[in-house]
Structures are given as C-alpha cells and as structure tokens.
C-alpha cells in the first residue's frame, strides 16, 4: 500500500498526454520534410530580424510551457533563420549538407539514448565497430588498425596527434607530461595546414612554437626540400622531431600534399605521419581523383569527417590509427567504478574493445547510427559518384571563370575548392578587395548563394567549397551570372 | 539547354520517392514512441544473441539498399539490444534517461543540420547563447561569465583545465607550451575525483604526476588539511601549484567537497578553482540539497552535464568560465578563411561571440536545441522536483537497506548514489565479493535492473546511481526483494 501511494504521487518527464505529443512529433516530421523537399525555393540565407533576436533574451523558464507552443516558437524564430548549409547554393566553409535518412537516424539514436562509451555488450557498440571497420577498409587501412568516431575533424586531429606524442616520446609521457627534463618535441605541417592542427598542438601543451610551418609550392603543397631541411636543422639544434602532418585537401584550395613522399620521408626519419583529410580523404572513392590521395593509406593516423563530404548530419568525424595498441596506450585508464569488464557476461561482458580506451571522453552518443544507415541507404558507389560530381561541378565553375575576362581564377582547383574574384579594369588591389567583399555580402543578403572568402598570397578571394549533394551545374551558371551582375552594379556604386 | 541537360543527369542524396520516405519516417516515429511509452514492460537489459552480433560483420555496402529494409534491420538487430538507460530500473554509471521532446529536438536539429561553430548570424547561435545565459543564472555565475555547450563533462573538464593552465602559467603557454624552462605546474584533486580529470591532465601534457591525489575524510570529501599541506610542500619544492579541482557529487558515492572552503583556500593561495559537477551541480535546483553545492558559484570554472541529471539525450555537457576574456584567450585563433566577421552584415556579421573561440573544435552541431526545448517544456521547477525526487528515492533505498540485516550500506548516501551489498553470515570478504558480483550479473541478465559496481576501501559494492526520471519508489522495493532472492539462491549455489 505504501508503495502504491508513492507510485501515485511520483512524477516523471514522459508526456502527460502521449497522443497529443505523438501528433506533435508527426507534425514536426512533416514540416521538416516539406522544408527539405522545398529547399530550392528557399533563400540560401536570410538575416535574423531584430524581433527574432530579441526573442532569445527571455528569462529562464521556471514553469512548464505547452509543447505545441514551444514548437510554434521554433517555427517562428529558429527554423526560418538557419545557417543555410542544406541549400543547393551553399558553398561556404566546406560545410555538409545533411540527408533525410541522416535526420531519421538522429531521431532513432536519441530515442534509444544510448551511451556508446565504456560498456560493450549492447548494439550501439557493434554498429560503431562495424562502421569503423568499413572505414578502415574504404581508406586502405589494415583490419588490425584502430578507429574511433568523433565529433569532427578537430577532435580527430587532436586524437591522432595525442597518440603520436605518446607513441614517439622516448619517456612515459602520460606520467611525466612535457614537464620533465627532455628534449623539446617538434612537429611539421605546411603553411596551408588547417588551424585545428595549431589548436591541437597548443592544447596538447606542445606550444605553437613546436609546430614548424613549412612553405608550400605553387600548387599549395608542402615543400619537401624545405621540410627535410627544417627537420635536419631542428635535430642539429637538439630538438626532437616526432611527427609530420600532411594535408589531404587543404581548406583554402583543396591541395593535396605529396603523401607518398611524406610517408617515405617519415619512414626514413622515423617520424609519425598524421594526415588531415577532413574532406579530401574522400577523394579515394572516386576513380578519377584517387591518385591525389595516394599515400593516405600509409599514414600512422588519419583524421577525416563524415559530416562534410559524406554529407551526413553534424557531428560526425573519425580518426584511424594504424597501431591499435598505441591508440589504446595513449588513452586507456579504467577507474574502479568501470572495472570488471570482459567477463563474457552482463552489460560489460562483451568482447569488443571499449571506445573510451581510445579517447579522453567517457560519455559518447550513438553517432554511429547515421553513418551505418546512410552507408547502407546509398551504397559507397553512389557516394563515389557524388564526390566525382562535386569535383566535376567545381571544374565546370573553374572553366566558366577562366572563360570570362571579368573573373579571375586565383589558385589551381584540383578538387572541389574554387577561389576566384571579380576583376574590373582600372581597379587597384584595395578597390578589388572592397568590390569582392561587397559581392560576397550581396550574394548572401539577397539569398542567392553562400560563399566564403580567404586570402591567397595576401589577396582577397571568393571561395567556393563544393561538398553539396544538392548542387547542380545550373547553380554555378547562376552564380557566375549573379557575381557579374553584382560586380557591375557595385562598381557603379563605388564610382558614384 | 546545356544546363538543362546537366540538371537532368545530376543526382543527389534526397529521396527518390519522397512519399514512401515520409511514410517510413512516420513509422519510425510511431515505433519509437510505442517503445518509450511501453518501456516499463521491456527488460532492463538483455544480451545480444550471436546471430545479431554476426549481422554486424557484413562487408562494406557498395550498392544502395531499400530504406525500408534498412529500418527492418535496425528493428531486428539494433533496437532490441540497447544499453537500457531509458528503462525505469536502470541505475548504472549515472547515465541519463532521455525524453520524447529531447528526441524531437534532435530530429529537428539534424534536419536543419546547422553548424554552430564560427558563424554567428543564424538562429542556432542565439539559441545556444540563450541556453548558456540561462545556465549561468541557474548556477549562480555572473552575467559577464562565459560558457560553452560541450559533448559531455569530460570535454568540459578538459576545457576548464585548459583555461586554468593558460590563465595561471606566468608565461605564454599557448606559444611555449610546457616545454620551456619553467617551474613545473601541479594541481590537486581528491582520490575520489573523476577519472576524466586525470585523462584531461594527461592530454594537456601536464603528466599524471602533476595531479596530486589528496586523501578524503569519512564522508569521502577532500581532506582540507592534507590539501593545504600538499600545496605548501610543492611550493617548497619549487613547483608551481595552479589549480584545485573540487568535486560536486563524486561518481563513487555522490560526495561533495566543501566548496566554500576550497574557494577560500584558492583565493588565499592564488589558485584556480575548477569544480567538476558532472551530475551533482544540479543539487543547486533542489531547496533541500542546495546547501551541498554551496560555493559552486565561486568556482573559476565549472563543468557539468545535461545528459545525466537533467535527463536530456546524449551528448550534452557545459562548461562555465567566470572570466570571459580568459576563456577566449585560451582558445581563440582565427585563420584567414574565417576572418571578416563582426562587420554587422552577412552570415559572419552577427554581434555574438563565436563559440569556436572558446574551444579547440570548429564544427559544432545544434546540440543547444534539445536544452532550449526541454527547459521550456518542463520548466526549471519541475527539474527541481524530479532531482529532489531522485534523492528522496535514493534515501528510501538507503533506509530499506539499513532496515534489512541481509544488506549492508557501504558509504554515506548524501545524494543519489547508494553503495551497498548483500551480506550473508559466515562468508568471508572474497566470498562476499563473489556473491555480489553474481547478484549484479543476475540482475542484468534476468532483465530486472541494471546496477553498476565499485570498490570502497577495497571492498566490492553494488552501486545505484539514480538519475532516472522514470524510477518510482516501488522499483526500489522490487530491487531489494530481488537482491535478497538472488542472494539466497546464489548462496545455495555457492554452497553446493
């Protein structure tokens, strides 16, 4: 009787009214599918009006609100003002596009609410293990290699460099850290390497000084002679080189370092080769591109994303490490409240390695599910076709630019990144920069397309990064027309 | 014409048949709601049969599979074998329970597929900013403080300690790292501090030696006299103490360090106070518990989760840092392809700080949405009631245990963690351990309940961590009955 009474007064967070909550979920699903199905009719981006911004300054909600009313807030203030990267003409910053099945998988994962960290006798661990095994095979890593799904390539780069540091320091780095009386560890990457490498190096306590920035050639690839000279120079100075970071698809221009040459050099110099293949690693899938990524499979660790060029929803990255023991050794630590696994029985009694032994994180969501369902839905062959399609579209855009005297291609475009600008006779460099900045903003603010920008040899460039499965060549025809139209109009404004 | 032809042959990853894909989504949603609505009728856990495990060894999918067939695979091999933490009698490892609205929010976030990193003129950034502002207010931090949503408390602890390290080292730590000629940095935490602290210290390059493990008192709180002595000792040895880590709710017993005393000590010793409040920080919400967390609001940095005691789906943690400048200074770095913000116009022209300036990560999903919708759905007052309810339920369990001569309460249970064991006359320590290990496994394997275990003063303990909004007192009545039933039965087996 006591218990019965207690049951009656105990509350929970399940819906009071399951039926109306169910209706709400179906309405959300329909709205989101309508939105995605009609995305081409939406602006590529639109600014948030002040009244919407003001909505986000309301105080902490103390009392419950009606779920339907909350959803109306979402529809009014959140959904209409997205970043825009689901749109067919979003080409900024190499963002991913997302898919319907990816959205479904995220819903299912959140419903199961699995923590895929340190218990190995449940389905999520088997799904993640299979996805990692597939990725190893696709990217040419041996079956004995180790892997981990991450939240993105910054985390993957951090993980890979952490393993490199532990594996190559000739002392117990987990115990002594970098604070002992040891030679200074240094590593190498090109000036075009992604900023997440620098951020990882700083976080690891190596100091940004330890990251030697090596110049690039005209194709924006690391200069091998300069790299070798820098290594020799550092050795002579009593420093301890331990790692080279190669780029497979740089963020600025899509350039690939010569990965085979880097692998040879690392072998002869006894250095760890980490490859940052954030989006570029996926060149391996397309027959006409795979030569660019040749040597990738020789890396000691490889970082890449699935939420960029594999088009899966955020967040999803991966790191592969050739030597499973080194991966585990860099992170594994089992406190008493997690001990007792691998007994063959119970929730901790599975026979798979713990993913938490390969990272500093313990709680881990079921991010593997979207990869598992997406890879099955489309099959690798379709991803290969779409990646090839994105590159062909980028070549198409580069050709349009080169054929047009009012436009200038500003760097080789070997992959899916195209850097260009509008040029107008009689404008000096500062005026060209101003003009192109205005074009960039007008494209965004008129909802035409979203591009980003960068600097190449000091000059401002419009930058198209095409990791968009919804893009068609016709979208690039439109982009070129609009850049020229805006260039002409803005030039008149500048002259006035 | 050219473009029209190209459009015709270009493919994408949108559904070929939107209508059947829409039907599939609605079926998934209904199935998941049925599952959650009927969760009490499911086993708390069940092992994965060999044929399901074998399913996850199939080769890389090369060709596309039918979406409906993929979902059938999910229903057959994935969904029936979850970790179990949505179940009302799952009390292992302090895992979260999840909610329906949380699942909806994840679906909407994946549909929008927003990258909430470094562009600030879209709605997701406003949602995250508002959620962080709410969390600052709830946890007693000033409006000027800084915050960041993370993937979990391991990431939050890493972030907070990284800021502490940068802020307190009297040299440019981002540039020089820990490799310069400087005094060794050391920090302090109790022997009961969470393993993620040690993992963060190792990753940061400080070395586990730098983490001084301070003994605890009978209530499992850090021994203040021992802490102060250790600091003096290290200073005398020429080391550089920079940080104390306080625990607000330890993972083993739910103990709270005396946070006000730690804040006083850190002030007088000029040390950074980082508080790990993974689940325990939420004691602030409940009037009868908030005294435990008193002093939390004086921390320089505070790490906590929303996917544990706030019951939101994985992954969702937060770190708050008192000094916004110090937070930014530890991480901010803007490469050329991200420059050009805060112009007041376009996608980078918003007026909010970039979250990527407060972490090493660049890509960031829209994890704020589930917090925003959940806090509105229930209101803080209901979270406060449920947290109080979880603690009262834990006290209820502790009382049942203390009233029963066949059970032993193994540590004070000030919060929601209860450590106990079955005791049987005539059994020595090794036999007691074996018996309780068998009880733990039998509870799981019979689908009755999921507990975890730990060691307290060397002795094996069954451990209940109650962060479950679906739990009722009657579930603990059942647990005690079953532990006793299993204890009696297994004792007979042991004697046979």
């Amino acid at each position: 009787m006591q218990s019965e009474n207690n049951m009656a007064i105990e509350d929970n967070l399940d819906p009071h009214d399951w039926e109306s909550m169910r209706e709400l979920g179906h309405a959300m699903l329909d709205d989101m599918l309508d939105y995605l199905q009609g995305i081409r009719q939406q602006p590529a981006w639109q600014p948030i009006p002040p009244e919407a911004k003001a909505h986000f300054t309301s105080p902490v909600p103390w009392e419950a609100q009606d779920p339907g009313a909350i959803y109306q807030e979402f529809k009014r203030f959140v959904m209409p003002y997205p970043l825009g990267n689901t749109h067919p003409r979003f080409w900024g910053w190499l963002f991913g596009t997302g898919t319907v099945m990816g959205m479904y998988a995220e819903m299912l994962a959140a419903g199961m609410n699995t923590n895929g960290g340190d218990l190995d006798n449940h389905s999520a661990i088997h799904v993640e293990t299979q996805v990692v095994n597939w990725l190893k095979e696709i990217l040419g890593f041996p079956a004995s290699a180790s892997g981990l799904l991450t939240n993105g390539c910054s985390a993957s780069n951090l993980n890979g460099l952490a393993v490199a540091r532990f594996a190559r320091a000739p002392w117990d780095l987990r115990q002594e850290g970098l604070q002992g009386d040891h030679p200074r560890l240094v590593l190498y990457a090109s000036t075009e390497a992604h900023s997440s490498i620098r951020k990882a190096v700083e976080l690891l306590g190596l100091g940004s000084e330890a990251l030697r920035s090596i110049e690039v050639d005209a194709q924006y690839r690391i200069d091998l002679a300069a790299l070798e000279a820098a290594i020799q120079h550092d050795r002579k100075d009593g420093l301890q080189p331990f790692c080279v970071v190669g780029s497979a698809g740089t963020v600025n221009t899509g350039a690939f370092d010569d990965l085979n040459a880097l692998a040879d050099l690392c072998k002869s110099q006894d250095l760890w080769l980490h490859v940052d293949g954030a989006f570029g690693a996926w060149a391996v899938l397309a027959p006409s591109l795979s030569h660019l990524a040749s040597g990738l499979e020789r890396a000691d660790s490889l970082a890449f994303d699935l939420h960029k060029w594999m088009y899966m929803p955020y967040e999803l990255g991966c790191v592969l490490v050739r030597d499973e023991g080194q991966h585990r050794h860099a992170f594994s630590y089992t406190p008493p409240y997690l001990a007792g696994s691998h007994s063959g029985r119970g929730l901790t009694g599975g026979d798979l390695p713990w993913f938490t032994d390969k990272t500093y994180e313990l709680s881990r969501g079921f991010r593997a599910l979207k990869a598992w369902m997406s890879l099955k839905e489309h099959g690798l062959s379709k991803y290969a076709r779409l990646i090839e399609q994105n590159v062909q579209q980028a070549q198409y855009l580069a050709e349009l630019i080169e054929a047009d005297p009012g436009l200038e291609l500003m760097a080789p475009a070997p992959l899916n990144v195209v850097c260009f600008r509008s040029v107008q006779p009689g404008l000096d460099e500062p005026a060209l920069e101003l003009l192109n900045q205005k074009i960039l903003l007008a494209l965004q603010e008129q909802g035409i397309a979203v591009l980003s920008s960068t600097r190449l040899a000091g000059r401002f460039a419009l930058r198209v990064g095409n990791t968009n499965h919804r893009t068609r060549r016709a979208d690039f025809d439109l982009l070129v027309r609009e850049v020229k139209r805006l260039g002409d109009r803005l030039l008149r404004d500048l002259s006035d």
Side-chain angles (χ1 to χ4, degrees), chain A residues 226-421:
Chain A
L227 170 62
E228 203 159 351
I231 294 168
Q232 300 316 336
H233 189 274
D234 282 340
R235 285 205 207 275
K236 230 174 260 167
D237 283 357
L239 307 180
Q240 177 130 10
F242 77 102
C243 177
V244 174
V245 179
S247 296
T250 62
V251 69
N252 272 334
T253 71
F256 280 75
D257 290 337
D258 184 338
L259 300 175
N260 274 311
L262 289 183
D264 290 340
L265 179 72
C266 285
K267 197 175 172 194
S268 73
Q269 294 282 339
D270 196 24
L271 300 173
W272 184 279
L273 176 59
H274 175 80
V275 172
D276 177 1
F279 63 99
W282 294 106
V284 299
L285 283 189
S288 74
L289 303 169
S290 58
H291 67 282
L292 292 170
S294 178
L296 190 92
E297 72 287 351
R298 296 171 63 190
D300 294 297
S301 54
L302 171 66
F304 55 97
D305 276 316
L306 292 103
H307 59 209
K308 289 181 179 123
W309 221 354
M310 292 293 276
Y311 318 103
M312 296 176 196
Y314 286 97
E315 302 165 341
L316 191 59
C318 181
V319 60
L320 299 180
V321 177
R322 177 167 307 280
D323 186 312
E324 203 267 348
Q326 288 178 328
H327 201 183
R328 243 184 318 107
H329 178 69
F331 289 106
S332 171
Y333 173 67
T334 304
Y337 79 97
L338 287 174
S341 76
H342 303 307
S343 61
R345 291 180 56 194
L347 191 41
T348 59
D351 38 21
L352 297 173
W354 287 6
F355 286 109
T356 47
D357 282 347
K358 300 177 178 180
T359 170
Y360 73 94
E361 290 178 306
L362 272 171
S363 296
R364 302 179 72 248
F366 194 8
R367 61 177 81 94
L369 186 62
K370 56 192 168 195
W372 193 77
M373 295 183 82
S374 298
L375 286 167
K376 285 173 181 277
E377 183 193 12
H378 303 297
L380 259 194
S381 60
K382 182 158 185 180
Y383 285 104
R385 285 198 303 279
L386 282 170
I387 283 165
E388 190 109 37
Q389 173 175 296
N390 281 156
V391 175
Q392 285 168 356
Q393 289 167 337
Q395 310 301 319
Y396 177 75
L397 172 62
E399 286 161 21
L400 292 179
I401 291 164
E402 292 204 290
D404 196 316
L407 301 173
E408 179 188 357
L409 189 68
M410 296 186 66
L415 204 62
N416 60 337
V417 181
V418 181
C419 292
F420 71 106
R421 62 177 177 178

Side-chain angles (χ1 to χ4, degrees), chain A residues 209-237:
Chain A
E209 285 178 355
L211 179 61
R212 313 308 226 194
S213 227
I214 308 297
E215 61 200 84
V216 292
D217 64 18
Q219 277 76 48
Y220 293 91
R221 297 172 305 194
I222 194 166
D223 182 318
L224 291 160
L227 170 62
E228 203 159 351
I231 294 168
Q232 300 316 336
H233 189 274
D234 282 340
R235 285 205 207 275
K236 230 174 260 167
D237 283 357

Side-chain angles (χ1 to χ4, degrees), chain A residues 2-21:
Chain A
Q2 176 68 20
S3 305
E4 291 298 313
N5 282 338
N6 284 328
M7 281 173 67
I9 57 160
E10 286 174 299
D11 206 351
N12 61 55
L13 298 182
D14 281 332
H16 289 295
D17 177 350
W18 279 92
E19 274 321 297
S20 70
M21 195 68 172

Side-chain angles (χ1 to χ4, degrees), chain A residues 454-487:
Chain A
T454 194
R455 281 189 185 280
L456 294 168
R459 299 181 310 166
F460 182 85
L462 302 174
R463 180 164 154 276
V464 163
N466 187 19
T467 46
N468 193 324
H469 67 80
R470 295 193 176 98
T471 294
R472 302 168 183 162
R473 276 188 177 81
D475 292 309
F476 286 128
D477 294 333
L478 186 148
L479 174 68
V480 166
R481 276 199 309 274
E482 291 291 324
V483 167
K484 290 177 62 67
R485 177 184 69 80
L486 289 165

Side-chain angles (χ1 to χ4, degrees), chain A residues 23 53 82 100 119 157 204 246 273 280 299 338 371 429 437 467 494:
Chain A
E23 276 172 36
K53 287 187 183 178
V100 171
L119 312 168
N157 280 327
L204 291 168
L273 176 59
L338 287 174
E429 281 294 327
Q437 278 178 337
T467 46
L494 285 176

Side-chain angles (χ1 to χ4, degrees), chain A residues 1-76:
Chain A
M1 273 313 288
Q2 176 68 20
S3 305
E4 291 298 313
N5 282 338
N6 284 328
M7 281 173 67
I9 57 160
E10 286 174 299
D11 206 351
N12 61 55
L13 298 182
D14 281 332
H16 289 295
D17 177 350
W18 279 92
E19 274 321 297
S20 70
M21 195 68 172
R22 191 179 288 254
E23 276 172 36
L24 180 64
H26 286 295
M28 288 172 170
L29 180 60
D30 274 328
D31 288 345
M32 199 47 82
L33 288 169
D34 289 346
Y35 170 78
L36 290 173
Q37 197 169 358
I39 190 72
R40 195 164 267 283
Q41 281 71 55
Q42 298 289 322
W45 179 77
Q46 61 180 328
I48 317 176
E51 65 271 21
K53 287 187 183 178
H55 184 77
F56 298 107
T57 58
S58 55
V60 178
W62 187 253
E63 295 305 330
Q65 296 174 27
D66 173 64
I70 298 165
Y71 181 53
Q72 289 307 315
E73 281 184 60
F74 171 82
K75 279 179 75 172
R76 189 164 158 206

